[in-house]
Amino acid sequence: MAKVTYVRPDGEQVIVEVTEGTSVMQAALANDISEIVAECGGTLACATCHVYVDPDDLGRLSTPSTDEEEMLDYTASPRQPNSRLSCQITAGPELDGLVVRLPPTQY
């Protein structure tokens, strides 16, 4: 299990225990985190699961794939150097304590 903190645009923090192998997107949906829309269900086709990863945590993540890099160009909220698609972040013990900030809009 990994604890992931989702920070809503208003600053509210929601801490979720995420089972190993579950994506940060799936955990958000299962815990009613409405800022993650995930229209495509995690197939890397919509960019509506965009998050901003805490800069201190970026080094713990794998490098984004070429497909993810391309989809990040279509996010509704401005892309930042720490932007990722939460469907592409899979929880494991190495991500315990991960902090992701939710953008103000996914549309």
Side-chain angles (χ1 to χ4, degrees), residues 44-78:
L44 200 56
C46 71
T48 60
C49 67
H50 177 215
V51 296
Y52 300 114
V53 176
D54 189 282
D56 292 339
D57 291 331
L58 281 174
R60 299 196 287 158
L61 301 180
S62 60
T63 304
S65 68
T66 302
D67 290 339
E68 181 180 358
E69 286 285 354
E70 289 176 11
M71 285 307 303
L72 284 166
D73 288 335
Y74 298 99
T75 58
S77 292

Side-chain angles (χ1 to χ4, degrees), residues 3-105:
K3 286 188 180 176
V4 175
T5 301
Y6 299 84
V7 182
R8 291 193 154 116
D10 67 3
E12 177 190 359
Q13 296 185 10
V14 179
I15 300 172
V16 174
E17 288 196 16
V18 183
T19 305
E20 187 171 346
T22 301
S23 74
V24 171
M25 177 210 75
Q26 291 168 319
L29 294 176
N31 287 278
D32 299 320
I33 296 174
S34 61
E35 293 86 355
I36 299 290
V37 178
E39 284 184 338
C40 73
T43 61
L44 200 56
C46 71
T48 60
C49 67
H50 177 215
V51 296
Y52 300 114
V53 176
D54 189 282
D56 292 339
D57 291 331
L58 281 174
R60 299 196 287 158
L61 301 180
S62 60
T63 304
S65 68
T66 302
D67 290 339
E68 181 180 358
E69 286 285 354
E70 289 176 11
M71 285 307 303
L72 284 166
D73 288 335
Y74 298 99
T75 58
S77 292
R79 181 179 181 171
Q80 303 292 328
N82 59 331
S83 287
R84 292 295 302 266
L85 297 180
S86 60
C87 67
Q88 299 301 297
I89 303 171
T90 304
E94 71 283 355
L95 294 185
D96 188 41
L98 178 71
V99 176
V100 296
R101 299 186 185 286
L102 303 166
T105 186

